[in-house]
Amino acid sequence: MQTLRKVPTEYGLHWKTWVWFPLIDLHSHTNESDGTCSPAELIEEAVRAEVDILGITDHDTFKGYDQALTAGHEAGVELVCGIELSTKLHGRSVHLLGYFLAQDRLPEFRDWVLELQAARRERNVRLAARLRELGFDISLEEAEARGRGMTGRPHFAQVMVAKGYVANLREAFDDYLDESAKGYVYREEPQFGQGVARIRNAGGIASLAHPVRVNGDVPALMPELCESGLNALEAYHSDHGPAETKLYLDLARRYGLLVTGGSDFHGAVKPGVKLGTGCDGNLQIPLDLVEKLRR
Ligand code: AMP
Ligand code: ZN
Ligand code: FE
Ligand code: FE
């Protein structure tokens, strides 16, 4: 469904020139993780937003991608298989994106992802118990009814809002679910280097997700991140202003890393983030980004 668009002036052509070029978004979530759109609805959204190449990067699962394949094919939206892993780096949570995993090494990677899911479920059992201990009438089943295969803290937060225990999701996290809050329970997560190694061993591209959200000095961390095998940075992201995008593009160039980008679309839970264009159109992903990754 490649759309006829005006070429921006920075591509060196007269602005009135009309050519075919793809709108790219390599970071999105379905309701198989913490997004609100079903895989089919995400494809409908991509069609509406005129996104031609869509990366589905659910947290710790490929279920959204798997289910979107048929709809994507029918709608002419090219799908890129991806995943977003929550990893630990020096005790802090760092998100890692994996793309273009080799088909023949995918089964082993998928088995590992199932192990991550088992660890998540075990944490959720303890989280439900902890919230009940704090006096809330909340069961694991209620959270799982919302989060299904990838139930996480956001789904517990939704239940807390629905039951009137907190005013909104922000309050649920600030007061109970955040790492620093009283309802937090530990989850066994892979170390950053382990996540990178798993993705790279499966032939994939490992990209540091939304570096602006890394709780630490990213420029200073770069040598260590590269040492662990990281081979891309998500320079384009809805949370990045022009200065941040430039910083991460410069770092990628300096350390010889590939560049990825996407909106991090989550549907109704993050209404300000639009597929393909980010927040108020701040996402401007170069037309040749996917081409470069494929190379
Ligand atoms: P989980 O993987 O179940 O531990 O939940 C992690 C998810 O919860 C993240 O991907 C975020 O979407 C969300 N999250 C974590 N911390 C916060 C916070 N302080 N405020 C809002 N959302 C958060
Ligand atoms: Zn998410
Ligand atoms: Fe993330
Ligand atoms: Fe994300």
Side-chain angles (χ1 to χ4, degrees):
M1 186 221 40
Q2 294 226 329
T3 317
L4 201 56
R5 292 190 186 90
K6 271 178 196 162
V7 171
T9 44
E10 72 241 46
Y11 289 95
L13 293 166
H14 190 266
W15 70 276
K16 272 182 185 157
T17 311
W18 291 80
V19 289
W20 300 101
F21 73 78
L23 187 60
I24 297 166
D25 189 333
L26 291 186
H27 191 157
S28 69
H29 297 266
T30 74
N31 62 0
E32 286 297 340
S33 64
D34 58 351
T36 57
C37 294
S38 69
E41 286 164 353
L42 182 67
I43 297 300
E44 284 170 25
E45 193 60 40
V47 170
R48 254 196 304 278
E50 301 186 350
V51 169
D52 302 291
I53 305 180
L54 176 69
I56 300 183
T57 51
D58 277 313
H59 300 276
D60 300 348
T61 180
F62 290 108
K63 277 192 190 153
Y65 169 80
D66 291 343
Q67 291 174 52
L69 272 174
T70 307
H73 185 73
E74 282 168 5
V77 177
E78 190 182 330
L79 293 185
V80 172
C81 179
I83 195 156
E84 184 170 13
L85 303 173
S86 301
T87 71
K88 288 280 185 211
L89 182 70
H90 303 306
R92 303 184 199 121
S93 178
V94 173
H95 288 184
L96 181 64
L97 294 160
Y99 293 110
F100 298 109
L101 301 155
Q103 281 307 312
D104 58 331
R105 282 176 270 172
L106 198 49
E108 192 186 332
F109 189 87
R110 282 179 182 255
D111 286 344
W112 178 63
V113 166
L114 292 180
E115 287 173 27
L116 297 181
Q117 288 173 14
R120 167 181 290 282
R121 179 140 210 295
E122 185 272 328
R123 185 279 313 263
N124 289 343
V125 172
R126 285 182 288 115
L127 178 55
R130 174 71 188 136
L131 293 174
R132 276 198 301 278
E133 217 172 78
L134 290 170
F136 300 114
D137 176 24
I138 289 178
S139 67
L140 175 63
E141 290 68 28
E142 283 170 301
E144 285 186 338
R146 292 166 188 266
R148 306 207 304 287
M150 218 296 308
T151 299
R153 281 180 284 158
H155 305 104
F156 282 90
Q158 286 172 25
V159 176
M160 294 180 83
V161 174
K163 292 195 151 183
Y165 294 135
V166 287
N168 50 46
L169 299 175
R170 171 91 274 141
E171 200 178 307
F173 270 96
D174 286 353
D175 295 354
Y176 301 103
L177 300 171
D178 186 75
E179 267 176 59
S180 61
K182 55 179 169 284
Y184 183 77
V185 299
Y186 179 77
R187 171 158 77 95
E188 191 66 46
E189 286 180 351
Q191 292 299 311
F192 180 79
Q194 189 192 358
V196 170
R198 285 280 179 174
I199 293 168
R200 297 293 310 271
N201 288 341
I205 291 173
S207 183
L208 180 68
H210 39 67
V212 73
R213 285 197 214 154
V214 173
N215 181 9
D217 182 354
V218 174
L221 284 169
M222 285 307 292
E224 182 188 351
L225 300 181
C226 295
E227 186 71 22
S228 70
L230 185 77
N231 60 344
L233 273 189
E234 190 181 41
Y236 302 97
H237 187 273
S238 309
D239 284 359
H240 293 174
E244 277 127 4
T245 300
K246 183 178 182 306
L247 168 68
Y248 300 123
L249 286 175
D250 287 347
L251 284 176
R253 198 173 309 119
R254 198 159 120 211
Y255 289 92
L257 302 183
L258 295 163
V259 169
T260 72
S263 62
D264 211 351
F265 178 80
H266 279 74
V269 282
K270 292 184 185 170
V273 178
K274 305 290 180 216
L275 203 63
T277 53
C279 298
D280 296 322
N282 70 345
L283 196 68
Q284 286 173 1
I285 296 180
L287 322 179
D288 59 352
L289 183 123
V290 172
E291 230 174 274
K292 282 187 177 157
L293 293 173
R294 287 226 170 88
R295 257 186 254 143

